[in-house]
Amino acid sequence: MATAYRPYEPGTEPRGHLVPAALKAPFQARVWREFLYLVISLPMAILTFVYTITMIALGAGLLITFLGVPVLGAALAGCRALGVVERARARALLRLDVAEPEPVLGRRGGRGGKRGPVAWVGALLRSGTSWRHVIYALIHLPWAVFSFAFAIAFTSYGWGFATYPLWRWVFPRYVDEPGLQVFGDDRGRAFYLDTPFEITAACAVGVLVLLLTPWVMRALTSVDRIMVAGLLGPSRLASRVWELESDRGTVVDTAAADLRRIERDLHDGAQARLVALAMDLGLAKEKLDEDPEAAAKMVDEAHGEVKLALQELRDLARGIHPAILTDRGLGPALSALSARCTVPVTVTVDLPQRPAPAIEGIAYFTVSELLQNISKHSGARTAEVDVWRTEDRVMLQITDDGRGGAGTSAGSGLAGLAERIDAVDGILVVNSPAGGPTTVTAELPWR
């Protein structure tokens, strides 16, 4: 199984490695990327704020004329363009991957159904995403000023005091002072960092500030992450619509694949046997008067073909939706399914009542596919199937002691199974290290 890389985050290291991780944190690239992001945020926020205020005010003032609406449209379009830059900056420096918001779609009009500029401007003004970009431009400036000041202060004071012993010689040689002046007044009183104790204390304070800097940077950029994801990304409704459209496509593709599989199984299996059976019965009918014994033998062979055809039809029907699942529920159906597995399977079903028929069918199909994988590919000696309900979810867990190495990579059977489960807002998790054991957990909605 592939493991996704995740950069170090303060507070996430094991306890035994906390001290070395904290000492290395100020030198890591992540801290400097976040520092660079906060430094660049101030000029970007000023540019965005000035543009937004100027264009919105100009558009609002011109609303009494026909120029106000297109100016407001241009203001919103510019804010969306600046949002593209902000998302790219967050993606490059904060490693925050925010999806593009929903596009602006005006109503079709005129000949050929083309969208005109008036419809496009109207769509911009009606778009909640566009106004969220405006809100981001307005509230980002004060936060950018605050975070810029903190980032500069912590970084400069931390590194300055931590390295003070290395550059203290500058003051007596070029400034004619014993050290860095901390305090001074009009009466000539001044306090300098020039004694060994003061130099050591300043260095210790600088090191402490440096050790705090990664946490400060993470706290400051966390607010930026929230603003970028919440205001410059797609809305929850748009994300849900996109998810439902994707799920609909998955369901349609899955249904088409199932229909092709059923047609192929019927054509290559039962249909071929029935055609051969019809031909054998026709030959037996012709030989009935001439050679009754040969005819009887052919009828007997045809009887065997009928049994095989019926068995194939039963297997096909069982793969679609077995009668025992409809009549008796998931527990007996899974028990009957496990009895046909080549590996001994222990089935435990703890459901207070039956879930929705569609969910019940998907759960049965999921276990059937996983048991087939165990039989064909795992090399396992035993397997277990556990089904239970937790709140409003149905949990399936299939475990085997095989060789492991299973995954949901593209093109695998588990990938298609994960897509089918995801189409009903379910989750499929595979834990299959090399050498085993393999545990596949599926989570399905109850209704």
Side-chain angles (χ1 to χ4, degrees):
M1 294 290 293
T3 302
Y5 171 76
R6 183 179 64 179
Y8 163 73
E9 297 181 11
T12 61
E13 290 292 326
R15 184 173 299 177
H17 301 283
L18 180 60
V19 174
L23 292 177
K24 292 186 295 184
F27 303 94
Q28 291 185 339
R30 178 192 61 80
V31 178
W32 291 103
R33 288 198 308 268
E34 292 175 346
F35 173 74
L36 182 60
Y37 180 88
L38 295 175
V39 170
I40 299 177
S41 288
L42 182 58
M44 282 297 302
I46 294 174
L47 171 64
T48 306
F49 183 86
V50 171
Y51 172 83
T52 303
I53 288 295
T54 302
M55 294 296 291
I56 293 294
L58 181 61
L62 292 176
L63 281 178
I64 58 175
T65 68
F66 68 93
L67 294 176
V69 173
V71 170
L72 284 178
L76 297 180
C79 289
R80 291 178 70 106
L82 291 171
V84 174
V85 178
E86 288 294 279
R87 285 191 298 272
R89 197 163 61 90
R91 190 179 301 113
L93 298 177
L94 300 183
R95 300 296 189 260
L96 178 65
D97 191 7
V98 179
E100 296 293 324
E102 58 272 22
V104 178
L105 298 177
R107 296 178 181 176
R108 294 183 182 271
R111 295 183 179 180
K114 295 182 179 180
R115 295 184 177 92
V118 176
W120 184 73
V121 171
L124 267 175
L125 296 175
R126 293 192 303 269
S127 172
T129 301
S130 302
W131 291 105
R132 283 192 284 114
H133 281 66
V134 173
I135 295 174
Y136 176 84
L138 298 179
I139 68 175
H140 188 224
L141 178 60
W143 174 251
V145 173
F146 176 83
S147 59
F148 177 88
F150 263 75
I152 292 294
F154 268 80
T155 303
S156 59
Y157 280 108
W159 284 102
F161 280 112
T163 60
Y164 179 62
L166 301 178
W167 54 276
R168 175 187 165 273
W169 59 270
V170 173
F171 294 95
R173 177 173 296 184
Y174 296 105
V175 188
D176 196 22
E177 293 181 354
L180 179 67
Q181 182 178 349
V182 178
F183 171 79
D185 58 15
D186 296 337
R187 298 179 180 180
R189 292 179 299 181
F191 178 75
Y192 298 93
L193 298 176
D194 54 351
T195 67
F197 174 77
E198 294 168 351
I199 294 173
T200 303
C203 182
V205 171
V207 171
L208 179 61
V209 173
L210 278 183
L211 294 179
L212 292 176
T213 299
W215 278 264
V216 173
M217 296 295 181
R218 175 50 55 98
L220 294 174
T221 54
S222 294
V223 178
D224 286 276
R225 287 182 171 91
I226 294 173
M227 287 196 294
V228 172
L231 295 176
L232 302 184
S235 63
R236 291 185 177 180
L237 178 60
S239 299
R240 184 57 177 166
V241 169
W242 181 87
E243 182 181 355
L244 291 176
E245 289 179 349
S246 177
D247 291 346
R248 181 184 62 183
T250 301
V251 170
V252 171
D253 293 341
T254 301
D258 289 342
L259 288 175
R260 290 193 298 269
R261 177 179 59 84
I262 294 170
E263 189 276 334
R264 184 180 63 252
D265 292 343
L266 286 173
H267 182 272
D268 299 339
Q271 181 179 346
R273 290 191 181 278
L274 292 175
V275 171
L277 174 62
M279 295 175 63
D280 291 343
L281 290 177
L283 293 175
K285 181 179 179 182
E286 294 178 358
K287 289 182 176 291
L288 186 60
D289 296 330
E290 300 175 0
D291 191 353
E293 293 182 1
K297 184 177 180 180
M298 295 179 69
V299 170
D300 185 61
E301 293 176 354
H303 183 257
E305 290 290 329
V306 170
K307 290 183 178 180
L308 291 176
L310 289 175
Q311 183 62 38
E312 290 183 355
L313 288 174
R314 290 194 192 96
D315 293 339
L316 182 61
R318 190 180 291 114
I320 300 172
H321 197 92
I324 188 174
L325 179 62
T326 303
D327 298 337
R328 301 180 58 189
L330 196 58
L334 294 182
S335 298
L337 181 64
S338 63
R340 298 193 302 273
C341 185
T342 59
V343 176
V345 181
T346 302
V347 179
T348 303
V349 179
D350 183 14
L351 297 177
Q353 55 187 359
R354 296 180 64 173
I359 300 301
E360 203 173 50
I362 294 176
Y364 177 86
F365 177 82
T366 300
V367 176
S368 175
E369 288 290 310
L370 293 175
L371 289 182
Q372 288 183 22
N373 288 343
I374 292 174
S375 299
K376 296 177 181 179
H377 310 296
S378 70
R381 295 184 300 274
T382 59
E384 295 181 4
V385 177
D386 293 320
V387 183
W388 71 95
R389 177 180 180 177
T390 172
E391 296 181 354
D392 60 344
R393 312 289 283 181
V394 180
M395 305 296 297
L396 312 173
Q397 191 172 77
I398 297 85
T399 307
D400 68 79
D401 57 357
R403 63 177 63 94
T408 56
S409 57
S412 67
L414 289 178
L417 190 60
E419 291 178 356
R420 177 176 293 212
I421 292 175
D422 182 66
V424 293
D425 287 339
I427 301 173
L428 183 74
V429 179
V430 180
N431 182 16
S432 182
T438 297
T439 301
V440 180
T441 305
E443 180 181 328
L444 297 169
W446 183 258
R447 295 293 178 187

